[in-house]
Amino acid sequence: MAVKIVRQPNNIALIGAPSSAAAFSPGSEKAPAALRAAGLAEKLQSSGYEVTDFGDCAQQLFADDEEHKRARNIPAIVASLSDLKPHAEVAVKSGALVLVLGGDCTQIVALLTGARRYYKQVGLLWFDRDADLNTPASTPSGRLDGMVLAGIHGRGSAELVRFWSEPPLVREPDTLIYGLERVDPPEQEILSRSPMRHVYAADIQLKGATTAAQDALAKLHTDAREFMLHLDLDVIAQEDFPATNVPGAGGLSFAEVQASLTEFVKQKNLLGLDVAQYNPDKDPDGSAAKKLIDLLTEALSARLTALAPPATPVTAPDGDPTLPDSSSSTSA
């Protein structure tokens, strides 16, 4: 049965996905709690949002998992996705912008699955330094964080592919990778023959982040169809944000990520986003958590401004249309 979803631009549905099962090291499972403790929800409310908090899913932890060397921790990952999926479905149905705090990168699979229950097709903007297009046959590590996008496209780990009953979860032509810098040879081969678009960090810097982000949105046709945004924080240069599982030198600066993210979240057809790979174990003084909260609240505040309805004209006594003036007053 078709469900009519009324979008609520002033509402955010917050969900925690405390998992490091797919990651390259432990610690990211602590991210949702750390960001809550640092005041993320309160900051969003102060910006003008009504925040509905769906709480945290069950925690899933990093392990070497020698039993599944080509898809490590896959049972825990599927359990994590199965926990997150119903929360994502309810959140998407509410019409709020869904914000998933992670955790590892696999959480986007459950968020997309929740959206696909109501939307026939969904675009995907993959804001990440890595392509994440390896498969169990090509992976150098066996970590699912390096294979997520392949699974979304219907390749790779069978358990990940089958999480959505009718793969692919997102079509390759409806996907754009933004901020790319680290690519393994098998991933480069896929990119060379795929209809999926990709934008390298160096090209973003050459063009300017705001213009590059706007061009990426146009290529993904976000003005005409719904899309999800995946933000892996290792896209930020480690000089500016080292508290991630797999940091890297160079790449996009914090300011360039801020400018790009602001353009992305201002789009009315954005259904939700997930934030992955912040690791509190690498942030002993909490400074990175504060920086991340500022990043999110500044970008999302710009979304409120961009999506605010225009002021309604009123008619003055002389019949001329005018706009309400909040500074005017009358007296008897």
Side-chain angles (χ1 to χ4, degrees):
M1 183 175 67
V3 176
K4 180 174 175 58
I5 296 177
V6 179
R7 303 296 301 279
Q8 306 290 337
N10 290 354
N11 292 9
I12 286 179
L14 189 65
I15 310 173
S19 174
S20 57
F24 287 78
S25 62
S28 55
E29 75 280 354
K30 302 174 185 176
L35 294 173
R36 292 179 190 282
L40 174 60
E42 292 79 7
K43 273 287 196 77
L44 292 172
Q45 289 168 336
S46 297
S47 298
Y49 281 101
E50 179 179 330
V51 179
T52 302
D53 196 333
F54 286 79
D56 288 351
C57 299
Q59 190 177 82
Q60 302 292 341
L61 299 176
F62 168 90
D64 282 330
D65 187 17
E66 290 301 307
E67 184 180 348
H68 306 91
K69 291 184 178 181
R70 290 288 171 178
R72 297 182 190 269
N73 295 325
I74 190 64
I77 291 165
V78 172
S80 176
L81 296 178
S82 297
D83 197 359
L84 178 56
K85 176 186 171 183
H87 295 299
E89 289 177 349
V90 174
V92 170
K93 186 179 178 181
S94 75
L97 179 73
V98 186
L99 173 56
V100 176
L101 305 176
D104 60 50
C105 292
T106 58
Q107 64 208 9
I108 187 63
V109 173
L111 181 54
L112 287 165
T113 302
R116 283 296 310 275
R117 178 171 180 181
Y118 307 107
Y119 294 93
K120 185 176 181 180
Q121 288 186 354
V122 176
L124 177 58
L125 208 166
W126 196 260
F127 196 175
D128 199 325
R129 181 186 291 248
D130 302 286
D132 295 336
L133 289 170
N134 275 302
T135 68
S138 68
T139 175
S141 68
R143 302 293 179 203
L144 265 294
D145 260 358
M147 298 184 260
V148 183
L149 193 51
I152 289 169
H153 291 158
R155 296 189 303 272
S157 169
E159 295 89 345
L160 209 61
V161 169
R162 287 199 305 262
F163 194 78
W164 173 247
S165 57
E166 300 176 7
L169 184 52
V170 177
R171 301 185 318 143
E172 290 181 53
D174 298 333
T175 304
L176 186 142
I177 305 173
Y178 184 90
L180 190 61
E181 191 178 42
R182 297 185 296 216
V183 187
D184 293 332
E187 296 176 309
Q188 187 63 64
E189 183 180 346
I190 291 171
L191 287 172
S192 68
R193 52 184 170 80
S194 172
M196 164 179 39
R197 307 293 186 100
H198 56 281
V199 184
Y200 284 95
D203 294 328
I204 295 167
Q205 292 167 327
L206 185 64
K207 186 177 290 188
T210 298
T211 299
Q214 292 169 347
D215 288 350
L217 292 165
K219 290 175 182 175
L220 203 55
H221 304 292
T222 59
D223 60 333
R225 62 188 180 199
E226 290 78 16
F227 73 106
M228 286 289 187
L229 171 63
H230 168 70
L231 173 60
D232 185 330
L233 294 166
D234 68 22
V235 76
I236 308 172
Q238 67 178 9
E239 296 87 348
D240 288 348
F241 196 87
T244 65
N245 283 332
V246 192
L252 298 178
S253 69
F254 191 89
E256 288 163 336
V257 170
Q258 176 87 64
S260 299
L261 182 64
T262 298
E263 292 303 314
F264 296 155
V265 302
K266 281 161 57 175
Q267 305 307 304
K268 64 181 177 61
N269 285 325
L270 177 66
L271 296 175
L273 67 155
D274 80 296
V275 181
Q277 300 297 349
Y278 164 58
N279 190 333
D281 285 351
K282 300 183 178 183
D283 183 28
D285 63 356
S287 59
K290 182 181 183 302
K291 201 168 185 179
L292 175 53
I293 288 173
D294 289 344
L295 173 73
L296 293 172
T297 53
E298 288 180 24
L300 290 167
S301 294
R303 174 180 172 84
L304 273 182
T305 301
L307 300 184
T312 304
V314 297
T315 302
D318 60 3
D320 292 333
T322 186
L323 294 175
D325 182 357
S326 59
S327 65
S328 64
S329 62
T330 59
S331 59

